[in-house]
């Protein structure tokens, strides 16, 4: 240790074990043996004089001190990774930007548009990382974030990209035909759910003045809209999806909306960054480019 700082190997072993909840899984991620990771963590505890894990039979659980330390270690390791990647990107391309994004929005909207940005700003390297939940910029190594919320996050500035407007029920043409084949067919259709929006179907039924039956809530749950879209495409059930995400698939006839009315949504998509942070030229250029996209039709069928 130098000036009280543990060696990097011990910190990486501890952070991976804390995040994955297992010495074996941490060892696999770090390409080390189980015993090597155990020795690193055990040595760190001895050197700090603080118990980081409670060992209950074959399970390990973070202590309160361990939980707090793991969060800080993770922040510093992520910051170190960001600084390293920034240095590498800066050496090779000039400027860099690290943006936290929602996975489905990134793959279906942002990434298909990025070639346009590259043509204008070839010297800016834009790196993307997935985050599906709100976070504090102080705890994560991001320059900015694109997210879904009722309003812009506190302590940030930026722009509203666009309103989500509504979720629409979608399914295969075959399933839609079945739904309309007889009065009680809808009740026999599997309803696919989004984990982050557990009450969406209940609210849709209420807006349609339809009875919400218990079996509706028994359908499978998915973490991402891309998963819901894929499940709906292969006929696993009917899903509620933001209308802008299904435009291309609907135009191609792969998915249809069996009911004309959707579920109204008040939330929007935002791009923002810490209000107190220095705004680099790369950040401002990216923000201006996003504004130019949303002034036009941001959802062409090809996206």
């Amino acid at each position: 240790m130098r000036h009280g700082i543990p060696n990097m190997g011990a910190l990486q072993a501890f952070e991976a074990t804390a995040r994955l909840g297992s010495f074996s899984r941490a060892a696999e991620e770090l390409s080390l043996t189980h015993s090597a990771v155990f020795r690193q963590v055990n040595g760190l505890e001895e050197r700090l004089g603080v118990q980081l894990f409670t060992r209950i039979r074959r399970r390990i659980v973070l202590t309160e001190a361990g939980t707090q330390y793991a969060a800080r270690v993770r922040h510093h390791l992520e910051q170190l990774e960001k600084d390293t990647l920034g240095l590498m990107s800066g050496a090779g391309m000039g400027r860099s930007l690290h943006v936290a994004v929602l996975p489905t929005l990134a793959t279906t909207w942002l990434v298909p548009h990025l070639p346009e940005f590259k043509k204008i700003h070839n010297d800016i390297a834009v790196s993307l990382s997935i985050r599906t939940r709100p976070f504090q910029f102080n705890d994560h190594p991001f320059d900015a974030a694109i997210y879904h919320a009722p309003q812009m996050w506190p302590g940030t500035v930026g722009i509203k990209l666009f309103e989500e407007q509504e979720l629409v029920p979608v399914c295969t043409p075959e399933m839609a035909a079945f739904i309309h084949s007889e009065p009680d067919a809808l009740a026999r259709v599997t309803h696919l759910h989004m984990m982050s929006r557990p009450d969406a179907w209940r609210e849709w039924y209420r807006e349609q003045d339809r009875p919400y039956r218990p079996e509706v809530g028994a359908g499978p749950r998915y973490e991402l809209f891309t998963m819901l879209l894929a499940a709906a495409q292969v006929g696993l059930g009917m899903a509620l999806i933001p209308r802008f995400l299904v435009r291309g698939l609907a135009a191609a006839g792969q998915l249809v909306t069996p009911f004309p009315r959707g579920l109204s949504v008040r939330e929007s998509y935002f791009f923002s960054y810490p209000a107190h942070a220095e705004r680099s030229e790369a950040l401002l250029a990216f923000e201006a480019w996003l504004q130019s996209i949303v002034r036009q039709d941001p959802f062409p069928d090809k996206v």
Side-chain angles (χ1 to χ4, degrees), residues 19-301:
R19 173 165 42 84
L20 299 172
S22 164
F23 290 119
S24 297
R25 293 174 64 188
E28 182 178 353
E29 179 178 286
L30 298 172
S31 298
L32 297 173
T33 64
H34 177 284
S35 59
V37 172
F38 177 81
R39 285 197 303 272
Q40 289 273 30
V41 174
N42 192 55
L44 179 63
E45 288 182 314
E46 291 180 357
R47 181 63 180 82
L48 297 175
V50 176
Q51 186 177 5
L52 302 173
F53 292 100
T54 298
R55 295 160 179 81
I56 306 174
R57 296 182 181 178
R58 296 185 179 182
R59 293 178 59 248
I60 56 171
V61 179
L62 282 165
T63 62
E64 183 177 350
T67 299
Q68 295 175 1
Y69 192 50
R72 301 310 303 166
V73 169
R74 184 172 302 116
H75 166 70
H76 291 301
L77 289 177
E78 288 180 343
Q79 184 63 51
L80 181 59
E81 180 181 30
K82 175 190 174 183
D83 293 341
T84 303
L85 292 175
L87 178 64
M88 294 167 63
S89 298
M93 298 190 67
R95 294 177 289 175
S96 64
L97 196 63
H98 193 182
V99 183
V101 294
L102 296 167
T104 301
L105 191 68
T107 56
T108 61
W109 180 74
L110 179 59
V111 172
H113 278 300
L114 279 180
E116 304 168 29
F117 181 76
K118 187 174 177 61
K119 288 179 183 178
I120 305 170
H121 301 284
N122 190 48
D123 62 328
I124 300 177
V126 180
S127 299
L128 304 177
S129 292
I130 297 302
R131 288 295 184 276
T132 58
R133 302 290 183 184
F135 62 85
Q136 295 291 329
F137 278 100
N138 289 339
D139 298 327
H140 295 272
F142 302 120
D143 298 301
I146 295 177
Y147 54 92
H148 174 263
Q151 58 190 8
M152 201 170 295
W153 289 346
T156 69
V157 294
I159 58 174
K160 180 169 78 172
L161 296 174
F162 48 84
E163 297 176 353
E164 188 171 65
Q165 297 184 344
E166 65 175 343
L167 304 178
V168 293
V170 295
C171 62
T172 62
E174 296 77 13
M175 186 170 292
F178 170 73
I179 289 172
H180 295 299
S181 65
E182 50 188 278
D184 65 339
L186 179 59
R188 304 205 302 273
V189 169
T190 300
H191 290 62
L192 309 176
H193 299 262
M194 181 73 170
M195 288 183 179
S196 61
R197 309 193 193 190
D199 296 323
W201 274 119
R202 185 184 300 275
E203 293 171 2
W204 181 83
Y205 271 84
R206 184 172 62 248
E207 284 199 8
Q208 316 308 311
D209 292 323
R210 293 174 177 269
Y212 181 84
R213 301 184 179 182
E215 54 266 30
V216 171
R221 282 150 174 75
Y222 296 86
E223 189 172 3
L224 307 176
F225 275 126
T226 46
M227 296 177 180
L228 276 178
L229 282 169
Q233 282 182 267
V234 297
L236 288 177
M238 182 171 61
L240 278 174
I241 305 287
R243 186 178 290 278
F244 75 89
L245 289 178
V246 300
R247 279 183 55 173
L249 294 170
Q254 298 180 45
L255 289 174
V256 299
T257 56
F259 301 97
R261 293 174 56 197
L263 171 66
S264 300
V265 178
R266 291 183 236 176
E267 289 83 0
S268 300
Y269 291 89
F270 296 90
F271 170 79
S272 73
Y273 40 88
H276 59 79
E278 181 179 353
R279 300 166 200 178
S280 67
E281 291 183 8
L283 177 64
L284 295 176
F286 193 70
E287 181 181 37
W289 172 73
L290 286 173
Q291 284 181 310
S292 71
I293 290 178
V294 298
R295 287 194 196 106
Q296 309 163 20
D297 176 8
F299 312 116
D301 290 340

